[in-house]
Each structure stands twice: as structure tokens, then as C-alpha cells.
Amino acid sequence: MPIYPRGKSWMVSVGSKADRFRQTYATREEAELGEAQAIVRLRASGSPLEAPTTVQPLPFLGHTLKDAHDLTWRLYWKTDKGHGCHKATINSVFRTIPSQVLLTDITPAMILEAIEEWEDEGNSGSTVNRKVSHISKMLTTAAEQGWISSVPKLPRRKPGKHRIRWMSEAEELKVLNACTQLGLDDLRDYIVVAVDTGFRRAELLGLVANDFVNGMVQLHAGSTKSDKARAVPATTRVAEVLTRRSSNRKLFDIPFHILRARWLVLKSHLGMDDDPQFVVHMLRHTCASRLVQRGVNLAVVQQWMGHSNIATTLRYAHLAPDSLAIGREALEQVSTKPLLKVVNG
């Protein structure tokens, strides 16, 4: 069931004989999504899915971010001082943006989503900008080699400038209904679990069936950004999703670029193309925002979200309902009223 390059387009060929599905798409991501949807439809109709009789060689799709890094290292960074700092920065970049991402797939929206994740991890504005600068240098080097036609303008962050984008319950319902209409069932399940657990993308995509035990969703040491284990109780709908998906090798066996392609299809369907904050990481913001809005203590929110620094959790504090009124009520409940005495001078 291969995807073939066809000029500047991509051809999907799925199925066999009268049930064969063939269609051309403008981009590789759209072709992968079309292939996945076609397979679902053919399986539902009982049509056989024949494997190709010959193994098709993988076409060269383009240079990757790792290619750009390796070239930039040889040309520029290798002779610089501070190799340790460089290595830590690049490792952090590759944890958020996989090294095998095609250079042509890197957009300002993808970088903005990475920035959201780095800020969530407690990175300062200067640290975030250093990571973006490394990406910019790699893309500039790639452009010099003709690997890409131009370098996209990448967003930067000013220290302390954070905007939290989260979904209301009404918006979430609209999003989930759109997933159903588009046949994006895996993405629908992903959104439900991400909103109710607050797990980061990498944490969620790494989950296996044994990580859901006795009503708790567990993250093991080494699988989290802080390398610390944590577990959160599953809501009723999360338990339903994870139980239903428990036969899968991974609970969410969705490669990075497929998840992103499906999210972009959803975003376009909802008419949200002009909202740069409507990114996958927004689902984690939604979890933290709802916890705070419903009166959960900030210390509990910190533990639930796995924030290593309470300052990260405090970004959501302004969403707490009637926080000043709660303070007034606490003072009103003083059991012993002080006696007021008038003293004549």
C-alpha cells in the first residue's frame, strides 16, 4: 500500500482490482492521511487489501533536520567553544521536533508549538530563543546548499511573555465532533486522553497498555521531561479509550508527522488556520486550565502536570474562580470576633 511521488504530487494506491483506491494529493502529509482513511473504509466494507507484489524502493523525500544539523556542525559549530551547551540545546530541540522531520515540513507554526512546549517545561525566554536560533542556523545552512528554497521567519519569545490558549468545553465538543465527521478516530481518542491527563505529546505517544493499571495512567522514570515517574487517575472517558485501545502495541502508535498532518486537517476543517495558538500542545494547557478553574489547589495542579517549578503552574493562577472572594470568606470565618473598645483621650 505504497505512496508514490508523481511529479510535484503524491499518488496513493490502496486495495486491489475493483476495490482499488487511487488518488493524487498535493502534499505527502495529505497523501498519508488519505491512505489511512482509505484503509479504514476498505476494511469496513470487507474489501481485501493486497500487499504489493514487489517491494517499492523508498523515494528520496528530501533532507531532514538531522542532515541540516550534521552539515552545520561540520561547517560552523565544530570549531566553536561550548560543545556541551550546544549538545544539550540540540538534544532538547530533537526531543520536541524529531530529527527526521523533513526540512520542507518545518513551518513557523511547528516552531511555535515547540516554543509552547519549552515554555511549559519552564524554559526562560533566552533559553527558548537560543533553541530557535539553533534551528534558524540549521535552516540557513540548508538554504545555502539549496536543500530548501528559503528560510521561514521563525517566532521568538520575549522574557515573561506567555499566552495560554486552552479550549472551553463547547469548543472541545466542536473539535471532537469534527474528528468524527472526518474519520479521525485516532486523533479524537488522542485529544480526549491529552485533555484529561495533561500529558505532553512525547509522553502520550510513548504509552503502552501496561501503563494503564488500576485506574491510574503511569509515566515511568526516563519517559518524562524531568525523568521523574508520575501517575494520574484516569477519568471515565480516558479509561474507556485506553481499555478499547489496549490491544495495540502502543496505545497511540501515531508517528509525529502523521499526528501533525491529521491535526492540520482538523484545524483547516474548523476554519482555525489563522489561529497560530491552535496547536497540539494546547491540549495540555486545557487540562491545567480546567483544573485551576475548578478550584484544584495549585500544588495539586503542579503534581498532576509534572511541573518541576511552581512558577510554571502559577501561569494559570489568574484562572482560579473567585480567588479574592475565597479569601474574604476565609476571613469571615474567624471564630472569635475581636472586641472593639473606645478609648477616651
Side-chain angles (χ1 to χ4, degrees):
M1 293 170 281
I3 297 175
Y4 303 93
R6 187 172 183 177
K8 294 183 178 180
S9 303
W10 297 87
M11 170 67 74
V12 173
S13 179
V14 181
S16 62
K17 300 179 181 178
D19 293 321
R20 180 173 293 280
F21 170 86
R22 290 172 62 86
Q23 187 164 326
T24 302
Y25 295 87
T27 67
R28 180 175 62 88
E29 289 183 344
E30 291 175 354
E32 289 170 341
L33 178 58
E35 179 195 37
Q37 293 174 334
I39 291 172
V40 170
R41 289 195 297 270
L42 290 172
R43 283 176 176 166
S45 65
S47 300
L49 295 175
E50 292 183 356
T53 55
T54 58
V55 177
Q56 298 291 331
L58 291 176
F60 175 71
L61 300 179
H63 290 283
T64 65
L65 187 59
K66 185 178 187 304
D67 293 333
H69 167 267
D70 293 347
L71 181 60
T72 308
W73 171 264
R74 294 196 302 271
L75 294 179
Y76 304 108
W77 288 331
K78 188 175 182 180
T79 57
D80 288 347
K81 296 180 179 180
H83 289 173
C85 181
H86 165 81
K87 183 176 180 180
T89 299
I90 287 298
N91 286 343
S92 178
V93 169
F94 285 166
R95 279 197 302 269
T96 308
I97 304 175
S99 61
Q100 295 305 315
V101 165
L102 294 177
L103 295 173
T104 51
D105 288 343
I106 297 177
T107 63
M110 181 186 291
I111 303 304
L112 181 60
E113 184 167 0
I115 288 173
E116 290 273 313
E117 293 198 32
W118 293 328
E119 289 176 342
D120 178 73
E121 293 172 0
N123 286 188
S124 65
S126 59
T127 299
V128 167
N129 288 339
R130 182 168 64 251
K131 294 176 182 179
V132 175
S133 293
H134 273 64
I135 297 172
S136 180
K137 181 63 175 178
M138 290 186 281
L139 294 179
T140 299
T141 303
E144 292 170 352
Q145 297 297 314
W147 293 355
I148 53 177
S149 58
S150 62
V151 178
K153 184 177 181 180
L154 304 183
R156 296 294 200 277
R157 273 295 194 256
K158 293 181 180 179
K161 298 293 184 181
H162 306 291
R163 175 177 178 261
I164 296 173
R165 171 69 162 90
W166 49 275
M167 289 192 299
S168 66
E169 292 184 33
E171 186 178 15
E172 181 192 347
L173 180 60
K174 183 179 178 181
V175 165
L176 295 180
N177 286 340
C179 287
T180 300
Q181 294 169 10
L182 295 169
L184 301 176
D185 298 331
D186 284 348
L187 182 59
R188 190 185 193 281
D189 286 348
Y190 179 96
I191 290 171
V192 167
V193 177
V195 167
D196 281 10
T197 62
F199 286 177
R200 300 177 178 90
R201 184 193 65 226
E203 294 169 346
L204 197 50
L205 294 182
L207 289 177
V208 298
N210 289 340
D211 292 332
F212 178 47
V213 181
N214 297 326
M216 301 291 290
V217 190
Q218 303 179 15
L219 293 174
H220 303 284
S223 65
T224 66
K225 183 264 175 183
S226 63
D227 288 332
K228 295 180 180 178
R230 78 177 191 275
V232 301
T235 61
T236 300
R237 64 176 185 167
V238 166
E240 185 278 322
V241 168
L242 298 187
T243 300
R244 173 163 42 81
R245 302 180 68 90
S246 61
S247 61
N248 297 345
R249 182 179 66 88
K250 286 188 176 182
L251 290 171
F252 292 97
D253 196 9
I254 310 174
F256 171 86
H257 65 282
I258 295 293
L259 174 63
R260 181 165 180 78
R262 293 176 182 176
W263 183 268
L264 292 176
V265 169
L266 170 66
K267 183 175 182 178
S268 180
H269 176 80
L270 293 169
M272 306 290 285
D273 288 330
D274 293 333
D275 184 352
Q277 301 286 340
F278 190 83
V279 296
V280 174
H281 195 71
M282 173 198 63
L283 305 175
R284 179 167 162 84
H285 287 319
T286 298
C287 179
S289 298
R290 289 184 181 177
L291 290 172
V292 173
Q293 288 169 331
R294 293 166 187 176
V296 177
N297 184 279
L298 288 177
V300 175
V301 177
Q302 179 188 11
Q303 183 180 1
W304 185 292
M305 301 300 296
H307 292 153
S308 57
N309 193 322
I310 189 64
T312 304
T313 315
L314 288 173
R315 287 191 293 158
Y316 303 91
H318 68 283
L319 300 174
D322 300 323
S323 55
L324 294 180
I326 292 172
R328 181 197 64 197
E329 292 300 322
L331 294 174
E332 291 282 7
Q333 294 173 12
V334 175
S335 57
T336 304
K337 299 288 185 180
L339 296 177
L340 300 179
K341 296 182 179 180
V342 176
V343 178
N344 295 323

